Amino acid sequence: MYNLPGRMAGVYRSGNHDQAKAYFIFRSAPLAYDHRDVEQHKRLVSEAFAGEPTWRVRELLAASLAAPDFYFDALSQVHMDSWSTGRVALVGDAAWCASPASGAGAELALVGAYRLAVALATDPGDHRLAFSRYHDSHRALVRAKQKIGPNIRLMVPRTALGRRIRDTFARLPLLPALAAIERLTRTKGPGPLPQLDRGRPGCEAVRCAGSWCHAGTPRDRLPPVRDGWRRSGRRRSDARRDPPRP
């Protein structure tokens, strides 16, 4: 990771493989651009880091611009007063995106989908009551995971002075103690999740397999499941097969 005033470049590896990825972050006012125009995205990144001779910025930038899987987006969030209207409810990033910098996208999506399914199974005849239950049970976790403003400001200080202050603070012996306090006080996870009644006659409260879920679907109307496959079509070798159904 290498910092410049208002900018950051770095390399990271995700997952258990040898591939490394370069990333670039820069501060800016809200940008107007075509979200489908990859060449425009590359120009924005090139302009933000143009002519920077330090560290490995030039070669990382050149490799990134030539990459077939180049990706560009804003570190933004979605805040909504309600996640439902009528008989339609949102879940995942569409409802509460906490930004990639939160590291909580998968957790929020999975827990949110489960809580929505629980709410629908608990109140199958009243979607308004079910949506209200879903909202009330998940809102606190979303709010906690969206509190990342200080982290972003520390990652990409606006000025050289700000970077020096951050680096000095990071070297203080007080930092481990503050980190321990933060770990003790922050919301670590969703807490205990409600258990579903799977004994309802002719119906499973929630049936999950692969990447789909059904709330209150009669057993004989469940769609077929290709056991062991993800939605993307790649073999799911790192996950156990679904347990036999009772």
Side-chain angles (χ1 to χ4, degrees):
M1 185 177 73
Y2 182 75
N3 269 124
L4 298 159
R7 296 173 292 171
M8 183 173 71
V11 180
Y12 77 100
R13 187 186 73 168
S14 61
N16 187 24
H17 53 73
D18 297 331
Q19 185 184 39
K21 299 179 181 179
Y23 64 90
F24 297 86
I25 301 176
F26 61 93
R27 289 176 175 263
S28 74
L31 298 174
Y33 59 92
D34 185 344
H35 293 269
R36 296 178 178 83
D37 189 343
V38 178
E39 293 305 317
Q40 185 184 21
H41 305 165
K42 292 181 178 181
R43 286 195 299 271
L44 290 170
V45 177
S46 296
E47 292 168 1
F49 290 87
E52 182 53 53
T54 55
W55 194 53
R56 300 284 184 174
V57 173
R58 281 184 175 178
E59 54 193 289
L60 288 175
L61 183 60
S64 298
L65 296 178
D69 55 350
F70 180 90
Y71 174 80
F72 178 84
D73 201 358
L75 292 180
S76 56
Q77 295 185 332
V78 173
H79 293 261
M80 302 179 70
D81 294 331
S82 175
W83 300 327
S84 64
T85 180
R87 300 183 66 87
V88 178
L90 298 177
V91 70
D93 283 353
W96 55 66
C97 178
S99 102
S102 71
E107 176 189 359
L108 289 175
L110 290 171
V111 174
Y114 181 83
R115 282 175 167 159
L116 174 58
V118 169
L120 290 169
T122 303
D123 299 294
D126 189 340
H127 66 277
R128 290 169 294 187
L129 183 58
F131 290 164
S132 177
R133 186 188 303 273
Y134 157 58
H135 180 282
D136 292 343
S137 65
H138 198 50
R139 176 66 71 175
L141 181 64
V142 169
R143 285 175 176 164
K145 297 300 183 180
Q146 287 185 328
K147 294 179 181 179
I148 62 170
N151 296 343
I152 296 297
R153 288 190 286 273
L154 288 173
M155 284 174 58
V156 190
R158 190 181 301 275
T159 64
L161 176 61
R163 184 185 66 176
R164 288 194 294 271
I165 293 174
R166 180 207 57 189
D167 293 347
T168 300
F169 181 77
R171 296 187 182 100
L172 293 176
L174 182 63
L175 192 61
L178 292 176
I181 294 173
E182 192 273 339
R183 286 194 298 270
L184 291 173
T185 57
R186 72 183 176 186
T187 301
K188 296 183 178 180
L193 294 175
Q195 298 298 311
L196 293 166
D197 177 13
R198 300 179 66 86
R200 296 168 60 190
C203 179
E204 290 181 337
V206 172
R207 158 72 170 154
C208 294
S211 57
W212 53 265
C213 274
H214 288 260
T217 304
R219 190 183 296 270
D220 59 358
R221 292 175 56 193
L222 290 170
V225 178
R226 299 179 64 188
D227 183 35
W229 290 80
R230 295 187 188 276
R231 183 184 291 270
S232 64
R234 293 179 295 176
R235 187 66 180 174
R236 188 175 62 181
S237 59
D238 59 337
R240 294 178 297 175
R241 291 177 179 272
D242 295 330
R245 292 171 56 185

